[in-house]
Amino acid sequence: MLPTPRTERFPVNTPAASQIFTTVLSQGPLTRLEVARRAGLSPAAVTKAVRPLIEAGYLAEGADEEARPALGRPATLVRVDGGRALFVGVKVTGDEIIGVVTDLCCRIRLVRHVPLTDRDLGAVLAAVADLVHELRAEADEADEGGAGVHGLGIAVSGDVDRGEGTVRYSPFLEWRDVPLAELAASTTGLPVTVDNDVRALTVAEQWFGAGAGRSDFAVVTVGAGIGCGLVVHGRVVSGAHGVAGEIGHVTVDPSGPPCHCGNRGCVEAIAGDAAILRRIRETTGLEVTDSAEAARLAHNGVPGAREAYARAGEAIGRGIATVANLLGPELVIISGEGLAAYDLFAEQIRDTFAAAAFGSAARCDVRTRPLPFTEWARGAAATAIQSFIRADS
């Protein structure tokens, strides 16, 4: 991460202490012995790390109130004090900015939606700064403990280099090489983490969602684009240059339609919302204007519409199988706004995945998890939390 302003430093300065806190954050409350087991560290290391975190108010320790008295003395559990720090998460789409305030446990406290009428960088920065100012003011007013906002996370689609805080290319915003973290830090006065929106969502799922406690899983998003976030050996994969998991640009049909990336037959060129609309127009001659209308046609049995969704499902299933064959995750979570029409291509995803996954890779658990854009903004907040508590993030 680039140097950014800090309102307060997290009292952890070793990888082991960071790992211990992260374990309690994502999987707690836990006993100290359980923390040691899950983190793969000694009980002495846990005791050494926990003490300053309790003194600083980030961890608390107490009896398990739910333990039955008949079992003897209740276990003493270590938990994170979520109210100790607040964070702002912002998700920028092509036509809207969604902002949330979360606590340290990434529980949403405030939500705001702001229309985005101008994608010019200056206009977006001003809108984000105004939104953050409004959210901070309201959070400060409501927060009796005076925790304050400790960081800002911003999530955008496209090629984002989190380490540099730079948006290399965002097709929906039409941005190239924008030093967004530096610019947003100067306009908001907060430490800023900028990441790809799907990776941000994956961080939230890893620490606070369906992926908590899992070392290898993937999040695949379907909608305007086809995205994929990867967790391998407990870490979100960013790639050497900020690009990883781009299954939307895996070629599944070399003679298929052209993709905006310059190739042909990519998953996104077949299964993205725009691709489905284009296919329906080509096969039916109807002027379909949006995804809701396309889904209605398919649900009403229009052959060209049903074929477009079936084709999309096959492409997505092949893309997920590619991830399973390469990395062998135990879980793939399918999400995104495209899930509104999931019943139209779910069977094709399952069948194609089963046919294309090699050997035991087919045992991967593929499940759906509808997540509104508010959750994507929460993902942005999760990246800010991660940057705050982990020096190596």
Side-chain angles (χ1 to χ4, degrees):
M1 284 295 299
L2 292 171
T4 52
R6 269 207 189 279
T7 54
E8 178 182 331
R9 285 194 175 276
F10 188 63
V12 158
N13 54 15
T14 68
S18 176
Q19 183 180 2
I20 288 165
F21 185 82
T22 301
T23 300
V24 177
L25 179 66
S26 61
Q27 302 174 47
L30 300 168
T31 65
R32 292 194 184 196
L33 284 177
E34 187 63 17
V35 173
R37 187 186 71 80
R38 297 193 188 193
L41 298 167
S42 69
V46 171
T47 296
K48 182 179 179 180
V50 163
R51 186 181 300 115
L53 289 167
I54 290 177
E55 291 173 354
Y58 287 96
L59 290 180
E61 201 167 30
D64 182 1
E65 299 297 335
E66 296 182 1
R68 291 177 293 169
L71 296 178
R73 183 179 177 181
T76 299
L77 300 180
V78 181
R79 62 176 177 82
V80 171
D81 182 357
R84 179 61 178 77
L86 302 178
F87 297 84
V88 175
V90 171
K91 156 71 172 168
V92 183
T93 75
D95 55 14
E96 185 182 33
I97 301 174
I98 304 99
V100 300
V101 173
T102 77
D103 65 11
L104 183 55
C105 295
C106 217
R107 294 175 294 226
I108 294 176
R109 293 191 172 192
L110 297 170
V111 179
R112 291 289 180 275
H113 294 256
V114 176
L116 184 62
T117 57
D118 187 347
R119 298 178 188 177
D120 176 76
L121 176 60
V124 174
L125 279 170
V128 169
D130 288 345
L131 177 59
V132 170
H133 177 76
E134 177 186 339
L135 286 169
R136 290 183 73 179
E138 189 166 346
D140 287 344
E141 184 178 346
D143 182 29
E144 296 179 358
V149 172
H150 287 55
L152 165 64
I154 302 177
V156 299
S157 65
D159 179 356
V160 180
D161 187 330
R162 173 170 168 170
E164 294 294 325
T166 300
V167 179
R168 299 294 181 199
Y169 174 54
S170 180
F172 300 120
L173 293 170
E174 300 176 347
W175 289 356
R176 288 188 182 274
D177 296 321
V178 174
L180 187 58
E182 179 183 352
L183 294 172
S186 66
T187 58
T188 64
L190 288 170
V192 177
T193 302
V194 174
D195 209 344
N196 167 272
D197 55 354
V198 179
R199 274 204 306 270
L201 188 65
T202 303
V203 171
E205 287 299 289
Q206 179 192 22
W207 282 20
F208 308 106
R214 298 176 185 266
S215 63
D216 298 270
F217 72 94
V219 175
V220 174
T221 57
V222 298
I226 307 296
C228 180
L230 302 172
V231 174
V232 178
H233 299 322
R235 295 189 66 88
V236 177
V237 178
S238 297
H241 305 289
V243 176
E246 286 289 345
I247 70 165
H249 298 290
V250 170
T251 298
V252 292
D253 181 3
S255 61
C259 181
H260 65 81
C261 74
N263 294 316
R264 300 188 71 91
C266 296
V267 174
E268 191 167 301
I270 298 171
D273 286 347
I276 292 173
L277 293 179
R278 184 169 57 249
R279 180 70 175 178
I280 293 174
R281 293 189 196 107
E282 290 172 355
T283 57
T284 67
L286 299 172
E287 284 302 316
V288 185
T289 58
D290 58 37
S291 296
E293 184 180 357
R296 279 196 300 272
L297 290 173
H299 282 127
N300 288 336
V302 175
R306 295 194 68 85
E307 183 269 345
Y309 279 102
R311 191 164 172 255
E314 292 171 1
I316 294 168
R318 196 167 296 278
I320 294 174
T322 299
V323 172
N325 291 340
L326 286 174
L327 299 173
E330 57 181 310
L331 169 68
V332 173
I333 302 163
I334 304 176
S335 191
E337 67 271 26
L339 285 191
Y342 185 71
D343 61 306
L344 294 169
F345 51 77
E347 182 179 353
Q348 287 77 17
I349 291 177
R350 287 193 300 268
D351 291 349
T352 305
F353 171 78
F358 175 74
S360 59
R363 294 167 56 190
C364 172
D365 180 12
V366 179
R367 66 177 72 164
T368 59
R369 181 164 154 77
L371 296 169
F373 274 139
T374 300
E375 292 295 315
W376 295 60
R378 177 174 176 261
T383 67
I385 295 170
Q386 185 182 63
S387 293
F388 179 66
I389 69 175
R390 271 175 42 173
D392 63 342
S393 64

